[in-house]
Amino acid sequence: MQTHINIMIKNSELILNPDGSLYHINLKPENIAHDIIFVGDQDRVAKITSRFDSVEFTTQKREFKTQTGSYKGKRLTVISTGIGPDNIDIVLNELDALVNIDLETRKPKEKHTALNIVRIGTSGSLQKDIPVDAFVMSEYAIGLDNMLRSYLIDTISESEIEEAFIAQTNWDLKKGRPYVIKCSETLANTIFSSKMHKGFTGTAGGFYGPQGRVLRLAIQDPELNTKMDNFNFNGTRMTNLEMETAAIYGLGKLLGHHCLSLNAIIANRATGDFSQNPYEVVEDLIDYTLERLIQ
């Protein structure tokens, strides 16, 4: 965790709205709980909070919708991040500022506060033995997007897995060096059960070319998806591909927060299957996560 106590942060670096809330997420410190659920889709926020006993606070700015309330006596916040690592950079840095920076003095607080952040998302499986309607907990995530390389990450990244991935996929370093980050073991111990598969999740910086999709543009490596499907590091295989997890894990670890990413598998690329009821598996994952969080 990197800290810079006693440095006053400039107005241009930490931007506040006229009401004192953080610029993008439109939140003040009192608006959030210390246990937070991330979703990508703003419409999914209400799907989760509809299960709450009460909702005390709601706000939205751009794609960042937030609701805070109580579920079976536990205060929880649900935030939509939108899509992609760049949005995660905004949301996680601003959430951290709410609890670890004094917004009046504009200085980092001496006492650090760690948030618990669980992402609930959807994804496609890359492996035949992880079927549709399954749950995947990302034990590791590999970022293919370069965003986290703007920070000093050598002390938190898994360099051996990175090297193996680069070698096995013949990764072109002109696209940047992939980074691998492990999940929070604390949260994994709380959330994981026999209902889940442990995963190694790929985080891409885009939906089309970066994930091997071809419409009208040729891509740098047409065989990359097959190489990723076959990647193996001491039994660790890539299980799914999405656009947020590695960024969440990396920033969370750098900032001293506990982060975990869960995915409802709605498609299996290896078998060509698609869930007959993708909405139901997402609802099941929401219920599962809420119950584990209140234990």
Side-chain angles (χ1 to χ4, degrees):
M1 183 180 64
Q2 302 162 8
T3 58
H4 300 279
I5 304 297
N6 296 324
I7 295 177
M8 187 171 181
I9 301 168
K10 297 177 182 178
N11 292 343
S12 60
E13 310 306 293
L14 179 63
I15 305 171
L16 302 180
N17 295 311
D19 66 354
S21 63
L22 266 293
Y23 181 68
H24 294 94
I25 59 177
N26 211 39
L27 295 170
K28 297 179 182 179
E30 63 267 24
N31 300 146
I32 65 166
H34 284 181
D35 293 274
I36 297 173
I37 295 172
F38 278 2
V39 293
D41 183 358
Q42 57 193 275
D43 291 337
R44 195 171 290 161
V45 173
K47 289 182 180 179
I48 296 177
T49 59
S50 67
R51 294 160 163 81
F52 284 15
D53 306 315
S54 61
V55 174
E56 68 185 64
F57 175 81
T58 300
T59 191
Q60 180 166 3
K61 185 176 180 182
R62 304 181 187 181
E63 61 267 59
F64 309 118
K65 180 174 181 177
T66 302
Q67 290 192 314
T68 296
S70 178
Y71 178 77
K72 296 185 178 180
K74 188 175 186 69
R75 192 168 185 249
L76 296 169
T77 293
V78 186
I79 299 177
S80 63
T81 64
I83 298 173
D86 52 341
N87 275 16
I88 297 302
D89 184 55
I90 291 171
V91 174
L92 249 168
N93 273 294
E94 293 194 4
L95 280 176
D96 177 77
L98 290 177
V99 295
N100 288 313
I101 296 175
D102 186 317
L103 299 183
E104 293 186 5
T105 66
R106 307 186 71 85
K107 291 182 179 181
K109 297 177 180 179
E110 292 187 8
K111 183 179 179 181
H112 177 267
T113 296
L115 299 171
N116 296 317
I117 298 170
V118 178
R119 176 185 179 272
I120 298 177
T122 57
S123 189
S125 171
L126 306 181
Q127 305 296 338
K128 288 183 179 180
D129 59 338
I130 301 179
V132 295
D133 301 334
F135 299 160
V136 169
M137 182 194 81
S138 303
E139 185 175 19
Y140 294 93
I142 182 165
L144 311 175
D145 58 281
N146 283 331
M147 186 279 290
L148 203 68
R149 290 287 176 192
S150 296
Y151 301 94
L152 303 174
I153 66 170
D154 288 349
T155 59
I156 66 162
S157 62
E158 306 283 339
S159 59
E160 283 190 88
I161 306 179
E162 293 168 5
E163 293 291 351
F165 180 85
I166 291 167
Q168 291 183 36
T169 64
N170 193 27
W171 181 263
D172 187 347
L173 289 175
K174 287 185 290 187
K175 295 191 292 187
R177 180 185 172 89
Y179 58 90
V180 176
I181 312 291
K182 191 175 184 180
C183 72
S184 161
E185 293 185 9
T186 300
L187 270 182
N189 290 336
T190 299
I191 300 294
F192 185 74
S193 75
S194 59
K195 293 184 178 182
M196 292 200 148
H197 297 263
K198 289 185 178 180
F200 179 42
T201 297
T203 295
F207 183 76
Y208 289 96
Q211 294 191 38
R213 293 183 173 90
V214 177
L215 301 183
R216 293 182 57 243
L217 296 176
I219 58 176
Q220 181 269 330
D221 185 356
E223 303 301 319
L224 180 59
N225 278 12
T226 299
K227 295 173 186 176
M228 290 194 297
D229 293 351
N230 294 320
F231 171 77
N232 191 305
F233 178 79
N234 297 334
T236 297
R237 308 166 301 158
M238 288 195 68
T239 52
N240 59 311
L241 194 60
E242 45 78 273
M243 294 179 64
E244 290 85 29
T245 297
I248 293 170
Y249 283 8
L251 283 173
K253 193 156 287 189
L254 288 173
L255 292 166
H257 304 297
H258 302 291
C259 298
L260 191 68
S261 180
L262 311 176
N263 274 283
I265 299 301
I266 61 172
N268 185 300
R269 193 172 70 195
T271 63
D273 293 334
F274 191 84
S275 175
Q276 294 185 1
N277 196 337
Y279 300 106
E280 182 177 340
V281 66
V282 174
E283 296 286 339
D284 289 346
L285 181 56
I286 291 169
D287 288 333
Y288 173 92
T289 304
L290 288 173
E291 290 304 311
R292 301 298 287 192
L293 282 174
I294 64 172
Q295 290 184 359

